[in-house]
Amino acid sequence: MAAARARSAIRSMGLENVRFAMRSILVQRLRSFLTLLGIVSGVATVIAMVSFVAGFNDAITGAFSSFGTTLVQYQKYEPRFGGGPTGPPEEQRKRRDLTLEDAQALKRLNTLAAAVSPERYLNLPGLAASTTFKNRKGKEANGPTLAGVVPDYAPANNASITDGRFFGDADVSHSARTAVVGPDVADALWFHRDPINQELLINGVAFRVIGLLEKRGSFLGGSADNIVCIPFSTFDEMFPDVKNSNGDTIHIATIPRDPKEQQAMTDQGISILRTRRGLKAKEPNDFAIFTSEGQLETFRAITGGIAGAMILIAGIALLVGGVGVMNIMLVSVTERTREIGVRKALGATRKDIAMQFLVEAITLTGVGGAIGIAVGLGIAMLVRLVFDFPAAAPLWSIALGFGVSTAVGLIFGLWPALKAAKQDPIEALRYE
């Protein structure tokens, strides 16, 4: 019973201190606002950055997962974020091209691979820009990616067909004029109509659409659904310049029969390619290996570095904000010296006085933290709406932001609170 009364008294005193702190903040609105700017900016930065990084990581995880988490792709150039202003380094440009024969050797010799998919893409800038994709009525698709593929493309890239069929061996061996299109292309050329058996004109050459790919979504403005696939052999007949460009001529995508054997399949594939290319034991690979997991780790490292830098900046803002809170609380202690003396004369203990000013400091920074959380969420929401960026603040970041702001109040309010508690009541009552 006595313990319950004690808890009730402590709770009542705590609430009274919070109400007193809120009244003090409202009375000194401008001063409180200026004091809290550092806290607000620091917490808002943390919330906004966590929202951007979390949203970005979710988006790239989804984007790479859509191509399969066990994908292992061999290509001439190392994967580069954004491509760079000058293209691949000279050492990589001097590499020998991977070939269709390399892909066929992997298909024949890599016993752990479930699918081996050689792929050519229309990636020569001038040629890609001049290539047209139209329906019979002259309506044009919006610059889709054109790929030359084989039947293994679908399993290797985790692609599914929602209508029609994918290519068979006969389509490739006969260089058939058939095409499989993505949902964006189908919507652009045959909106609300069945694209199967429609005619697609690529540079005026008629292709019969035999399949529609399942929708996979977009990422950072690029759509995986804006694609046209044609048989590999047909692609080489129409665009021999890609094969002979001595550039990024072919990608060879592979997936393992068993996900647990991904590394063993990769090692076997590397061994096959090194043998075919006559590389000695001490020579490095003269081809690149792209994996979904590797790219995810690269992206996460980049976003982690950016987040670390921004959180450091936010920490500096919180430190400045904390110093401001300490300064304003010291001023408050001086201004309210007589009040402290009166309270002590009426029986308040040092602990009561210290708690009063400590709660006031924590309340002050807590209010700043709440405002900062609202501002950070508002920034994330605005960016999501305006730029279609998948910003999303996890709940833990909100709890972290509020917790850090109140901790700043606790740390930087401690000294002013102790200074107030140590005031001599007689001297305090004499203070003018």
Side-chain angles (χ1 to χ4, degrees), residues 232-393:
F232 192 95
S233 52
T234 310
F235 184 99
D236 277 355
E237 284 185 4
M238 287 191 69
F239 304 101
D241 289 347
V242 175
K243 177 183 176 182
N244 302 321
S245 65
N246 196 32
D248 191 20
T249 58
I250 191 171
H251 294 174
I252 306 173
T254 62
I255 56 169
R257 296 181 188 278
D258 184 341
K260 296 177 183 176
E261 295 179 332
Q262 182 186 13
Q263 188 56 54
M265 180 201 71
T266 306
D267 293 341
Q268 197 177 81
I270 291 172
S271 177
I272 293 168
L273 290 178
R274 286 182 61 87
T275 301
R276 282 185 53 80
R277 297 164 80 82
L279 295 176
K280 296 178 181 177
K282 293 183 179 179
E283 290 182 313
N285 294 333
D286 61 351
F287 52 89
I289 303 166
F290 168 101
T291 65
S292 297
E293 285 297 322
Q295 288 301 294
L296 275 175
E297 289 302 319
T298 301
F299 275 108
R300 284 170 180 160
I302 293 171
T303 55
I306 294 172
M310 293 306 297
I311 288 175
L312 177 63
I313 295 171
I316 293 172
L318 286 170
L319 180 64
V320 173
V323 172
V325 169
M326 179 187 286
N327 182 53
I328 206 67
M329 290 304 299
L330 287 172
V331 172
S332 181
V333 169
T334 302
E335 290 176 344
R336 292 154 63 184
T337 300
R338 281 184 63 82
E339 175 193 321
I340 295 169
V342 170
R343 288 201 64 194
K344 284 198 166 184
L346 293 175
T349 63
R350 283 189 173 190
K351 182 179 176 182
D352 295 335
I353 300 298
M355 284 299 296
Q356 176 188 340
F357 283 90
L358 197 57
V359 169
E360 187 170 327
I362 294 173
T363 304
L364 190 64
T365 56
V367 170
I371 296 172
I373 290 169
V375 172
L377 291 175
I379 293 171
M381 183 69 71
L382 185 64
V383 170
R384 188 184 185 99
L385 291 176
V386 174
F387 300 104
D388 194 26
F389 186 85

Side-chain angles (χ1 to χ4, degrees), residues 16-287:
E16 182 61 29
N17 283 336
V18 171
R19 281 195 290 269
F20 195 85
M22 291 301 297
R23 280 200 300 272
S24 177
I25 292 171
L26 292 174
V27 168
Q28 301 288 344
R29 289 187 183 88
L30 181 60
R31 189 170 75 176
S32 300
F33 172 74
L34 295 175
T35 304
L36 291 177
L37 276 181
I39 305 294
V40 171
S41 59
V43 173
T45 302
V46 170
I47 296 296
M49 283 309 303
V50 170
S51 300
F52 296 153
V53 170
F56 188 76
N57 281 338
D58 289 345
I60 63 172
T61 300
F64 280 108
S65 297
S66 70
F67 290 95
T69 56
T70 60
L71 174 70
V72 177
Q73 182 169 289
Y74 304 95
Q75 56 194 51
K76 183 175 182 177
Y77 300 137
E78 303 293 336
R80 303 180 73 202
F81 185 66
T86 59
E90 182 68 17
E91 176 273 327
Q92 293 181 29
R93 288 201 294 269
K94 290 180 177 177
R95 291 176 173 175
R96 287 171 293 167
D97 293 346
L98 288 167
T99 63
L100 178 61
E101 289 71 26
D102 289 328
Q104 291 169 340
L106 287 171
K107 177 75 173 175
R108 188 172 63 256
L109 301 174
N110 196 325
T111 56
L112 301 177
V116 177
S117 169
E119 301 157 12
R120 282 203 215 284
Y121 292 90
L122 190 60
N123 50 14
L124 300 178
L127 192 56
S130 62
T131 300
T132 59
F133 302 83
K134 297 181 180 179
N135 63 14
R136 274 294 175 190
K137 294 182 178 178
K139 192 170 183 181
E140 191 165 355
N142 184 25
T145 299
L146 179 63
V149 302
V150 299
D152 271 3
Y153 172 87
N157 292 275
N158 202 28
S160 300
I161 293 290
T162 58
D163 195 8
R165 66 173 177 87
F166 202 70
F167 303 113
D169 290 334
D171 292 294
V172 179
S173 61
H174 292 93
S175 301
R177 295 289 190 264
T178 51
V180 174
V181 300
D184 287 359
V185 177
D187 288 343
L189 299 183
W190 305 286
F191 189 62
H192 282 174
R193 294 167 58 194
D194 186 357
I196 305 303
N197 289 323
Q198 298 283 354
E199 274 197 336
L200 169 64
L201 302 177
I202 303 176
N203 284 349
V205 177
F207 282 74
R208 183 170 63 87
V209 176
I210 60 170
L212 175 65
L213 291 168
E214 187 178 39
K215 193 171 184 59
R216 307 172 84 175
S218 61
F219 176 61
L220 293 180
S223 174
D225 301 321
N226 195 22
I227 186 170
V228 173
C229 297
I230 61 177
F232 192 95
S233 52
T234 310
F235 184 99
D236 277 355
E237 284 185 4
M238 287 191 69
F239 304 101
D241 289 347
V242 175
K243 177 183 176 182
N244 302 321
S245 65
N246 196 32
D248 191 20
T249 58
I250 191 171
H251 294 174
I252 306 173
T254 62
I255 56 169
R257 296 181 188 278
D258 184 341
K260 296 177 183 176
E261 295 179 332
Q262 182 186 13
Q263 188 56 54
M265 180 201 71
T266 306
D267 293 341
Q268 197 177 81
I270 291 172
S271 177
I272 293 168
L273 290 178
R274 286 182 61 87
T275 301
R276 282 185 53 80
R277 297 164 80 82
L279 295 176
K280 296 178 181 177
K282 293 183 179 179
E283 290 182 313
N285 294 333
D286 61 351
F287 52 89

